[in-house]
Amino acid sequence: MTTGLIPGGHPPDPRPTDGLPSQSRREPVGPAALHMDDRSRSSVITARASASYEPLGRSVASARSFVRDTLQGWGFADIVDDAVVLTSELVTNAVVHAGTAADVLCLRSDDGVRIEVADRYPEREIPLQGAATAMGNLDREGGRGLQLCAALAARWGVDYTPTHKQVWFQLDLPERAVGTRAAGPCLPADLLPLADGRVRVAVIQIDRTGAISAWNEDAEDVFGYPPEQVTGKPLTDFAAWPHTPGTSTGIAEALQLSRWEGSYGIRDAAGRVVPVYASHLRVRDTDGEPSTVCLLVRDHERAVLQTPVRVSAPDTTTSAEGKSSDPFEVFIGSPAPDDLDGLLQRTVERARDMLDADSAFLLLATDDETELEVRASTGLPSARQRFARVPVEAGPGRYGSARMPAVHDDLSSVPGAVPLLNGTGMRSVVTVPLKVEGRLTGSLGVAAEAPGRYSNEEALRLQFAADRIALAVESARLGELERLRRGSLSFLVEASDLLAGTLDRDQTLALMAQMTVPTLATWCAVYTLADQAADPYLSYVLHEDEELIDGIKSLLSKIPPPDPVPTPGAHVWTAPAEAAHQAALRTSMRSLGLSEPASISAGINTTLATASAVGGETVVLPLVARNRVIGMLTLGKPTDEHFRQEILELGEDLSRRAALALDNARLYSERTAISQSLQRSLLPPGLPQIDGVEVDVIYRAAGEGNEVGGDFYDVFPIGENTYGFAIGDVCGTGPNAAAVTGLARHALRLLAREGLSGPAVLQRLNSAILDEGARSRFLTLLYGELRPRDDGSAELKVVCAGHPLPLRLRQDGTVEPAAEPQPLLGVLEDLELYEQTISLDPGDVLLCVTDGVTERREGTRMLGDDGLTEVLTTCTGLTAGAVAARVMRAVERFASDAPSDDMAILAMRVPGLPS
């Protein structure tokens, strides 16, 4: 091979010589690897990436994209443009002018990047360095690649072999200006991070006690609190810190760190949680007093504060042949899985193969190192071990040796030494710890069915591999925890919003279950307690497969419910799995025609599908609200599956929120039931049947949950063939108005049956209202007495005390007021009221309404007396019920909004004598 190092010189004029890469790879290389030769390889190569391109025009664009992506991924944005230009020219020479495939190789070193472009057209003279020549015609299509190398590259050259020609160039990293930490390329506007029109950065300063000492204007804009409202209060009063399963860091701890960056929530003045991205910096003033400065932006604007992640090259080594021999890469393989589950599964498979074992398993330790959780296994009977938890100090073999390598020649002689392998048929096992900075993070083990397979030599080999992967596993685990923490925060915020949006008990139960399945569990059941002495009642069951819900509900209804334990945390409940196992065994034996053993309890019949659905781990989370157990949330997995600890801790957070929402719904339901019961007592029990007169009423109370408001009506018998009727309106709506309603309705009945005239009845009612003092409210009232006549007509005596006048509809369609206005009740002590007598002929209608009907509004328009009269003129020939219904329909259609005032309509019609 001939090499030419040409810092200047006359490049050859290439013979007329963009494409999809057929392969592309990136691989790190160890610090002792692949030192460049004396022409340019004076730096240590720390990473490489390569790709091949077909001799097609589109290959040039693909090569440009490959180089750009590679260099930006390495963090070398400063030299991307020059590298792309030179690569484009050299690949064009290869695939367009020379007409051959091209290979592009990018090599990363400490001080720059070397890019090599090779083609399959070596029939070229070796370019000789000569006198400096001009660039020539810049419009010329070919011959510019090497000239650009000479102009832009720090070093460049051409290598020849019998089959290949390779042009290479090296670009050195420029010296960065002082203060520059990171920079990114210019991006199109549609690729820039999304932010509000004006980005607000809340600046909050926290003193050494954790109290807020400074609060800027942007913080007030974002969260709604003025500075004087929050100054001096702990930030923990406003922070909605995400309680991530498996982590112990809280907002108080984060404020004590010298620097912290991440996401949490702040409760604003309206009570909503505003997700924020924060950057904390611990500082001290000139007096040495420490404080923490917190910069916060809305979470979707995190790019304003978030530090760009720069991934450093892994520590690698190189073999004598120049190939990567990094212990991690050798054990795991390249490329390594980028997800935790994939990495763990690859680990157990390689560990099994390395020691020629029958099975392997990997457990990760909890933060307090008291338990190990199964996360990956291979060669074991089933996947039932996944997420099973094993105490570190367990069994006669003291699994506490998980902190040290251990070899068991024969597990049959020490039962329980490795609980994970109980009942699997494994006899010999070697386990080694995974440690990071002296802390136990997990345990890796391999096992074989034959005894005596392993010795200390195998333990040392496995420990060496475990040491190589421990940091990678822990890093992947922390990454998974961070993703879970963010997902948990989002899940809990959404759950809180949904639960706070309803006060209906049944809907709250449904929401609890729907948020749990399938996010946290495969199936769930909610038990409720009416009181502390009552037994738990199965209130709701949900499974991700709706066809299994009835079967699970039937199974759970036949076994004793879980005990209502008030202790926080998840408690394992074995009854469903045991019942499912027995039911499945009974079904299987019955299908085979075998008799059932006496040990199997009878009475539980279920399908195999239902038994499998509840055959896994089942846990119970207490629903505790206001220091009282109000129920249990039961989470379940199908056969052979277990819960992971992070999911259980997330379930605990959800159960606390759900318990409070369920208790609020209970209190609301009780108050609503009491209120509605009292309100219904204010309504007349029914309308009397009056011979010769049709009577119908429509009543609508304004306000959610109100059945009776300030409007009321009544029709009742006074004496023989004499009936009293009333329709009134108490000032205001709701329970206070309803109290006066009850006084007025019952007083009218009592006074009228004493034989008093209409004016006398209303005068005494006026006195009773005034006697209420501060609780009194003025009242408009239309009261009358009705007497049907033998000729088919009816006589009415009415008093209209401040109420909308009754309207009389005659058979010819004319409408006229049937009374005169008089003073209302509850204002003056001495009232002079008089009675008016009217006669309803056969076919006539008397319509009485409250002002909620006539004052129905749509913007500036109001229905009014004229509008009501116009509606009534269209009711000729209708029954009393039809008249009331048509009037109510016209009132409802007059405006799109819901009525804001109570409404009552009383219609009386004299049909006349039958012919």
Side-chain angles (χ1 to χ4, degrees):
M1 180 181 72
T2 307
T3 301
L5 178 60
I6 310 178
H10 186 67
D13 186 10
R15 196 178 79 174
T17 57
D18 255 327
L20 298 176
S22 59
Q23 58 182 353
S24 177
R25 65 183 184 275
R26 292 181 174 86
E27 56 187 40
V29 185
L34 293 179
H35 288 268
M36 295 182 183
D37 58 32
D38 56 0
R39 64 181 182 273
S40 62
R41 302 193 181 189
S42 58
S43 300
V44 176
I45 300 301
T46 57
R48 64 171 59 205
S50 63
S52 298
Y53 300 94
E54 299 298 326
L56 302 173
R58 60 178 180 270
S59 294
V60 179
S62 299
R64 286 197 296 264
S65 298
F66 165 71
V67 171
R68 182 180 299 277
D69 293 342
T70 299
L71 268 58
Q72 287 182 344
W74 288 346
F76 292 162
D78 298 318
I79 59 175
V80 164
D81 292 337
D82 288 349
V84 168
V85 169
L86 295 178
T87 302
S88 178
E89 287 294 331
L90 297 179
V91 173
T92 299
N93 285 343
V95 302
V96 176
H97 300 306
T100 74
D103 299 324
V104 179
L105 173 65
C106 299
L107 300 174
R108 182 181 71 185
S109 63
D110 297 333
D111 55 356
V113 171
R114 172 187 168 108
I115 297 178
E116 300 175 354
V117 179
D119 61 38
R120 311 302 200 272
Y121 190 75
E123 295 87 355
R124 285 285 154 205
E125 297 179 354
I126 299 176
L128 299 177
Q129 181 176 357
T133 58
M135 291 288 291
N137 185 4
L138 296 178
D139 295 329
R140 189 177 61 178
E141 182 178 358
R144 296 179 302 179
L146 300 183
Q147 292 175 340
L148 287 174
C149 287
L152 299 179
R155 291 181 298 278
W156 65 280
V158 182
D159 298 341
Y160 285 96
T161 69
T163 57
H164 289 75
K165 178 189 71 180
Q166 176 180 282
V167 181
W168 60 269
F169 61 87
Q170 179 158 336
L171 299 173
D172 294 338
L173 290 177
E175 293 291 334
R176 299 192 179 214
V178 175
T180 300
R181 179 179 181 186
C186 296
L187 295 176
D190 57 346
L191 297 181
L192 297 176
L194 184 64
D196 292 341
R198 177 183 180 275
V199 177
R200 291 174 170 82
V201 179
V203 181
I204 306 173
Q205 192 157 2
I206 313 299
D207 63 21
R208 70 185 308 162
T209 66
I212 299 172
S213 59
W215 183 272
N216 73 338
E217 293 181 359
D218 280 358
E220 181 177 354
D221 289 340
V222 174
F223 306 119
Y225 299 106
E228 58 272 11
Q229 189 174 347
V230 297
T231 302
K233 295 182 179 179
L235 182 62
T236 53
D237 289 354
F238 306 92
W241 187 262
H243 298 288
T244 306
T247 62
S248 59
T249 303
I251 182 66
E253 290 81 3
L255 293 174
Q256 298 299 317
L257 300 176
S258 61
R259 180 178 290 277
W260 184 89
E261 188 172 314
S263 299
Y264 52 91
I266 296 291
R267 295 183 181 87
D268 64 12
R272 296 184 299 270
V273 175
V274 179
V276 298
Y277 190 85
S279 177
H280 297 177
L281 178 65
R282 190 78 166 160
V283 298
R284 61 184 175 88
D285 59 19
T286 54
D287 297 328
E289 185 71 14
S291 63
T292 303
V293 178
C294 306
L295 305 181
L296 301 91
V297 296
R298 292 183 178 90
D299 192 65
H300 67 274
E301 298 172 340
R302 59 171 53 208
V304 176
L305 298 180
Q306 191 171 24
T307 302
V309 178
R310 297 289 295 274
V311 181
S312 58
D315 184 17
T316 58
T317 58
T318 304
S319 65
E321 290 79 13
K323 298 181 179 180
S324 172
S325 59
D326 170 57
F328 176 81
E329 293 290 348
V330 169
F331 184 71
I332 294 297
S334 180
D338 56 0
D339 64 298
L340 177 61
D341 289 338
L343 177 61
L344 299 183
Q345 192 62 36
R346 179 83 64 85
T347 298
V348 295
E349 291 171 356
R350 294 300 173 89
R352 178 198 60 193
D353 296 341
M354 183 176 70
L355 297 186
D356 192 23
D358 296 314
S359 65
F361 53 89
L362 192 148
L363 300 85
L364 294 183
T366 56
D367 285 345
D368 56 6
E369 299 181 21
T370 60
E371 288 185 316
L372 295 168
E373 185 178 67
V374 181
R375 291 301 301 271
S377 64
T378 181
L380 294 178
S382 70
R384 63 184 172 87
Q385 311 293 350
R386 184 168 168 80
F387 297 125
R389 288 170 298 281
V390 180
V392 170
E393 305 290 343
R398 290 184 60 81
Y399 202 73
S401 60
R403 295 186 173 88
M404 295 292 291
V407 177
H408 297 276
D409 290 332
D410 192 349
L411 291 177
S412 61
S413 61
V414 280
V418 183
L420 176 63
L421 299 180
N422 290 345
T424 62
M426 300 298 159
R427 299 281 297 276
S428 55
V429 62
V430 54
T431 61
V432 296
L434 274 68
K435 292 186 177 181
V436 175
E437 296 180 352
R439 181 173 60 88
L440 178 68
T441 61
S443 177
L444 175 63
V446 297
E449 296 178 352
R453 283 280 301 275
Y454 304 114
S455 63
N456 288 337
E457 182 180 351
E458 284 78 15
L460 291 176
R461 290 179 59 195
L462 190 61
Q463 183 67 70
F464 180 79
D467 291 342
R468 302 285 76 75
I469 67 169
L471 185 59
V473 169
E474 180 67 3
S475 177
R477 186 184 74 88
L478 293 177
E480 180 188 69
L481 283 177
E482 175 64 15
R483 289 190 295 273
L484 180 61
R485 183 187 68 83
R486 297 190 183 194
S488 300
L489 176 61
S490 176
F491 171 77
L492 292 175
V493 168
E494 182 179 358
S496 298
D497 290 342
L498 289 173
L499 291 170
T502 178
L503 288 172
D504 182 82
R505 176 182 177 276
D506 293 337
Q507 188 174 2
T508 302
L509 290 172
L511 283 174
M512 289 169 57
Q514 291 167 6
M515 287 184 294
T516 301
V517 176
T519 305
L520 304 182
T522 307
W523 65 272
C524 82
V526 183
Y527 289 85
T528 56
L529 289 170
D531 53 62
Q532 297 301 308
D535 293 330
Y537 174 74
L538 182 61
S539 299
Y540 203 92
V541 175
L542 184 65
H543 190 280
E544 59 184 9
D545 184 354
E546 294 182 357
E547 296 181 355
L548 297 176
I549 293 177
D550 291 338
I552 296 175
K553 186 181 300 183
S554 175
L555 175 66
L556 294 178
S557 64
K558 295 175 181 177
I559 61 177
D563 296 328
V565 180
T567 308
H571 308 281
V572 177
W573 186 30
T574 60
E578 292 173 354
H581 175 73
Q582 292 190 3
L585 182 59
R586 184 185 310 108
T587 302
S588 299
M589 296 186 70
R590 189 182 301 118
S591 65
L592 296 174
L594 302 176
S595 60
E596 302 173 9
S599 59
I600 300 180
S601 60
I604 300 179
N605 296 315
T606 185
T607 64
L608 291 177
T610 301
S612 176
V614 299
E617 186 176 37
T618 302
V619 297
V620 178
L621 297 166
L623 297 174
V624 181
R626 299 177 174 91
N627 298 321
R628 187 172 68 90
V629 180
I630 63 172
M632 289 86 71
L633 176 62
T634 303
L635 308 181
K637 286 283 190 179
T639 299
D640 295 342
E641 291 195 18
H642 299 263
F643 287 98
R644 59 184 303 178
Q645 189 63 30
E646 293 85 356
I647 294 298
L648 293 180
E649 293 178 4
L650 182 58
E652 290 182 45
D653 282 340
L654 176 63
S655 67
R656 285 192 288 269
R657 290 164 168 79
L660 186 59
L662 185 61
D663 200 45
N664 289 338
R666 177 188 63 83
L667 294 174
Y668 178 78
S669 298
E670 291 178 356
R671 292 183 60 182
T672 300
I674 294 172
S675 174
Q676 291 177 347
S677 177
L678 293 175
Q679 290 183 56
R680 280 193 294 270
S681 69
L682 302 178
L683 293 174
L687 297 178
Q689 294 292 328
I690 304 176
D691 294 336
V693 179
E694 298 174 358
V695 180
D696 209 329
V697 174
I698 294 180
Y699 184 83
R700 298 284 190 274
E704 183 180 0
N706 289 335
E707 294 190 10
V708 175
D711 291 8
F712 70 95
Y713 68 92
D714 201 359
V715 180
F716 54 92
I718 296 176
E720 184 178 357
N721 202 35
T722 303
Y723 298 88
F725 67 90
I727 183 169
D729 184 2
V730 179
C731 174
T733 60
N736 292 331
V740 179
T741 296
L743 170 65
R745 195 177 69 79
H746 293 295
L748 283 175
R749 287 197 172 210
L750 292 173
L751 295 173
R753 287 170 177 170
E754 291 294 325
L756 300 176
S757 64
V761 169
L762 266 62
Q763 286 168 353
R764 295 195 180 189
L765 175 59
N766 180 64
S767 299
I769 293 174
L770 292 175
D771 288 343
E772 292 293 309
R775 295 181 298 176
S776 67
R777 290 169 176 256
F778 64 79
L779 166 67
T780 67
L781 179 64
L782 173 65
Y783 173 74
E785 295 180 0
L786 169 67
R787 292 183 179 87
R789 296 172 178 168
D790 295 338
D791 60 0
S793 64
E795 179 186 68
L796 289 85
K797 295 181 179 181
V798 299
V799 181
C800 187
H803 198 77
L805 300 180
L807 298 178
R808 177 180 181 178
L809 171 64
R810 296 184 180 274
Q811 281 188 308
D812 59 3
T814 58
V815 177
E816 61 184 7
E820 296 177 355
Q822 299 183 57
L824 52 77
L825 307 182
V827 178
L828 303 175
E829 293 185 1
D830 297 327
L831 288 180
E832 295 184 2
L833 303 174
Y834 56 91
E835 198 171 56
Q836 295 178 270
T837 303
I838 60 175
S839 178
L840 292 182
D841 297 329
D844 288 354
V845 176
L846 185 71
L847 178 68
C848 310
V849 301
T850 57
D851 60 5
V853 173
T854 56
E855 294 180 1
R856 177 75 162 144
R857 294 180 180 275
E858 174 70 17
T860 58
R861 297 186 307 120
M862 185 173 70
L863 180 63
D865 296 333
D866 294 339
L868 182 60
T869 300
E870 183 178 350
V871 174
L872 188 58
T873 58
T874 66
C875 298
T876 304
L878 299 180
T879 63
V883 171
R886 178 169 291 187
V887 171
M888 178 56 73
R889 188 163 54 250
V891 171
E892 291 175 342
R893 292 177 177 176
F894 186 78
S896 58
D897 296 336
S900 59
D901 195 5
D902 306 325
M903 293 187 293
I905 300 173
L906 171 62
M908 293 179 289
R909 179 176 179 268
V910 179
L913 294 174
S915 56

